[in-house]
């Protein structure tokens, strides 16, 4: 099946999160009402891994959420535990390290475990969280290999718990508008897409530069956004991929992972996407050229504010906190005892991981990889 049928409008809307944090809009990009805060208690979230994303984005966002709150932490660094307990008023009973983590099973304050660790650790902690009887949010990329994703999905299913991936942009209004413009063919069929995400990386000693921990270079880290962008504006699954590694202009720095990677997807409708990801220079853009016009987001994938325009003029949307919208949206569904929409679950995470691996295969072999099988 090549058409992105699971990414249906109905399912997409089922997952759209709580109201915008500034200039709240009453409807989403498809003109449907936005859900609101749920009655009753907020779900307790425990963050696993207190690195920069937890510290600078998720914890501050959890001070704004309506359907969830920061209830616990899991860290291997005692000094961080002390700091976070004070700063966020977290009781000692809700603080774990990687050895004591499984005891979270007995903690009724924690409903959801959010895994924010280096990529190679996602599988283990998602499986352990599910075995502890918690719902799970896992950061992108969901894992390194598709088989790991399957194990994570199976563990959550077995525990009768739900698994979401940290796809914050699915709750972001400019992104939702780009999805609508593309999927509803507002400017006619999409002919080609340019979807690229890259930045110049700092510290060469960090885990992102180590294949064993990251699974690869910029493709695993931010290239996944370019893959997502091409998929969500077309609303289709690619049928083939070609890819090329860029030159190593700094070979001492990029010993273990790629510096730059280019790839091209072909889609069933005839649309083609062209993408770049890089750790050597910045790019952040999603552009769709359609039969009767065009639309673009630039910047398209960062924390915002995102900006967009079309061949008819600027896109005007509220500026929101992506992480708060995402966590509120996920927790709203959990509070309602409903099933998470497919496009933010482990199934979607696994689709992306399969494509990331196909891109590497295409670049390594120089062959066009058939994705229809
Ligand atoms: P950081 O390096 O800043 O933090 C990772 C944390 O994981 C560390 O601080 C540490 O926390 C813990 N950790 C445990 N074992 C290791 C290890 N062997 N090496 C390094 N860290 C370890 O990474 P980020 O916070 O930037 O990224 C974490 C995850 O979040 C990644 O999967 C990344 O892709 C994703 N991410 C997603 C973003 C998004 O926009 N959705 C943006 C940024 C990141 P402690 O000291 O508490 O044990």
């Amino acid at each position: 099946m090549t058409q992105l049928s699971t990414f249906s409008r109905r399912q997409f809307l089922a997952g759209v999160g709580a109201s915008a944090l500034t200039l709240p809009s009453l409807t989403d990009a498809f003109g449907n009402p936005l859900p609101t805060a749920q009655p009753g208690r907020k779900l307790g979230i425990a963050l696993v891994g207190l690195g920069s994303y937890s510290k600078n984005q998720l914890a501050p966002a959890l001070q704004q959420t309506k359907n969830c709150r920061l209830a616990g932490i899991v860290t291997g660094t005692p000094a961080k535990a002390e700091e976070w307990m004070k700063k966020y008023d977290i009781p000692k009973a809700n603080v774990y390290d990687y050895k004591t983590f499984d005891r979270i099973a007995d903690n009724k304050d924690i409903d959801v475990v959010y895994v924010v660790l280096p990529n190679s650790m996602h599988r283990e902690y998602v499986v352990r969280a599910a075995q502890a009887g918690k719902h799970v949010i896992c950061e992108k990329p969901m894992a390194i290999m598709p088989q790991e994703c399957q194990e994570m999905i199976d563990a959550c299913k077995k525990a009768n718990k739900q698994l979401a991936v940290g796809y914050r942009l699915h709750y972001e209004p400019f992104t939702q508008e780009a999805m609508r413009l593309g999927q509803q063919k507002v400017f006619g069929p999409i002919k080609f897409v340019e979807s690229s995400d890259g930045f110049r990386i700092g510290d060469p000693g960090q885990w992102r530069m180590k294949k064993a921990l990251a699974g690869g270079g910029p493709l695993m880290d931010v290239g996944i956004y370019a893959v997502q962008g091409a998929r969500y504006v077309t609303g289709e699954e690619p049928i083939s991929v070609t890819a090329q590694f860029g030159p190593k202009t700094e070979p001492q720095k990029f010993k273990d992972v790629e510096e730059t990677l280019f790839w091209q997807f072909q889609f069933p409708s005839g649309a083609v996407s062209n993408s770049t990801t890089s750790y050597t220079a910045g790019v952040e853009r999603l552009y769709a050229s359609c039969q009767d016009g065009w639309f673009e987001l630039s910047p398209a994938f960062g924390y915002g504010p995102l900006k967009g325009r079309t061949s008819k003029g600027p896109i005007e949307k509220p500026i929101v906190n992506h992480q708060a919208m995402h966590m509120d949206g996920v927790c709203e569904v959990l509070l309602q005892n409903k099933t998470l929409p497919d496009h933010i679950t482990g199934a979607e995470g696994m689709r992306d991981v399969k494509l990331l691996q196909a891109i590497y295969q295409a670049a390594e072999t120089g062959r066009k990889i058939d994705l229809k099988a």
Side-chain angles (χ1 to χ4, degrees):
M1 186 172 67
T2 51
Q3 199 70 24
L4 198 51
S5 56
T6 46
F7 200 141
S8 72
R9 183 167 170 271
R10 182 179 297 274
Q11 280 181 308
F12 175 71
L13 293 172
V16 172
S19 58
L21 296 171
T22 59
L23 297 177
S25 68
L26 297 175
T27 60
D28 66 13
F30 294 88
N32 293 274
L34 284 173
T36 50
Q38 296 301 293
R41 86 179 177 103
K42 291 178 170 188
L43 292 182
I45 291 190
L47 297 176
V48 186
L50 307 182
S52 66
Y53 195 55
S54 287
K55 181 179 174 185
N56 300 325
Q57 305 301 329
L58 296 176
L62 280 163
Q63 310 312 303
Q64 304 179 18
T65 42
K66 300 182 176 86
N67 295 325
C68 48
R69 65 186 182 94
L70 178 58
I73 49 176
V74 183
T75 177
T77 311
K80 289 185 192 171
E82 290 300 324
E83 186 192 328
W84 282 60
M85 278 193 289
K86 273 195 212 118
K87 185 165 182 187
Y88 294 112
D89 199 19
I90 298 169
K92 200 163 179 62
N94 292 2
V95 179
Y96 301 86
D97 62 27
Y98 301 116
K99 285 199 184 103
T100 60
F101 171 63
D102 306 278
R103 289 191 211 145
I104 211 164
D106 303 322
N107 192 328
K108 293 199 169 21
D109 250 7
I110 314 284
D111 305 282
V112 180
V113 166
Y114 194 152
V115 176
V116 204
L117 292 163
N119 307 339
S120 66
M121 300 173 75
H122 291 181
R123 184 203 62 82
E124 177 184 343
Y125 284 86
V126 168
V127 169
R128 285 169 68 181
Q131 286 170 348
K134 306 298 177 185
H135 296 296
V136 196
I137 306 176
C138 177
E139 257 316 314
K140 47 56 53 180
M142 181 177 166
I144 293 167
M145 300 305 285
Q147 179 55 36
E148 295 176 280
C149 299
Q150 192 60 60
E151 286 172 36
M152 295 153 84
I153 292 168
D154 291 346
C156 291
K157 196 171 171 193
K158 191 171 170 199
N160 203 20
K161 293 289 151 187
Q162 298 208 55
L163 171 57
V165 177
Y167 287 135
R168 59 185 164 77
L169 290 173
H170 288 235
Y171 294 84
E172 194 285 320
F174 286 87
T175 307
Q176 291 174 352
E177 177 64 359
M179 292 172 177
R180 185 188 74 85
L181 294 172
Q183 292 178 26
Q184 297 190 358
K185 300 183 175 48
V186 172
F187 293 98
I190 292 180
K191 298 295 186 178
F192 38 85
V193 175
E194 290 180 20
S195 181
S196 295
D197 199 9
F199 68 102
R200 182 158 176 84
I201 200 159
D203 174 16
Q206 64 186 285
W207 65 264
R208 282 181 168 79
M209 299 294 275
K210 298 188 173 104
K211 194 171 179 193
L213 284 166
L219 180 65
M220 300 301 287
D221 191 24
V222 289
I224 187 170
Y225 284 104
V227 168
Q228 275 267 302
R231 291 179 58 232
Y232 57 60
V233 296
T234 57
E236 297 176 55
E237 290 295 355
I239 52 175
S240 67
V241 60
T242 47
Q244 308 80 34
F245 287 116
K248 291 215 177 183
T249 63
E250 294 170 88
Q252 282 307 105
K253 191 170 170 186
F254 294 99
K255 280 187 185 141
D256 208 20
V257 299
E258 77 276 5
E259 181 177 324
T260 301
L261 189 54
F262 310 101
W263 71 95
Q264 304 78 37
F265 285 142
Q266 276 100 47
F267 292 92
S269 63
V272 176
S273 68
N274 195 20
S275 294
T276 303
T277 189
S278 184
Y279 270 165
T280 205
V283 59
E284 191 192 329
R285 181 174 183 235
L286 176 59
Y287 183 98
S289 192
C290 314
Q291 187 174 290
D292 307 316
W294 54 265
F295 58 92
E296 77 167 346
L297 299 183
S298 177
F301 303 118
Y303 306 143
L306 303 189
K307 274 193 188 154
R309 57 192 187 120
T310 77
S311 42
K312 286 195 169 153
I315 298 174
E316 307 282 2
K317 291 288 163 192
I319 308 299
V320 304
N321 179 304
H322 303 185
Q323 291 80 11
M325 292 287 276
H326 172 249
M327 290 186 282
D328 261 346
V330 168
C331 290
E332 176 183 49
V333 177
L334 297 176
L335 282 164
Q336 292 173 338
N337 280 322
K338 291 186 179 163
T339 304
L340 289 171
D342 180 83
H343 65 94
I344 55 136
T345 63
E348 176 75 351
M350 183 159 148
R351 283 181 206 111
D352 282 339
V353 170
K354 280 183 179 166
L355 290 173
L356 298 179
Q357 290 304 329
I359 292 167
Y360 280 131
Q361 193 191 350
E364 278 155 15
T365 61
R367 285 193 292 114
K368 183 185 211 177
I369 305 297
D370 187 347
L371 300 168
K372 291 195 290 291

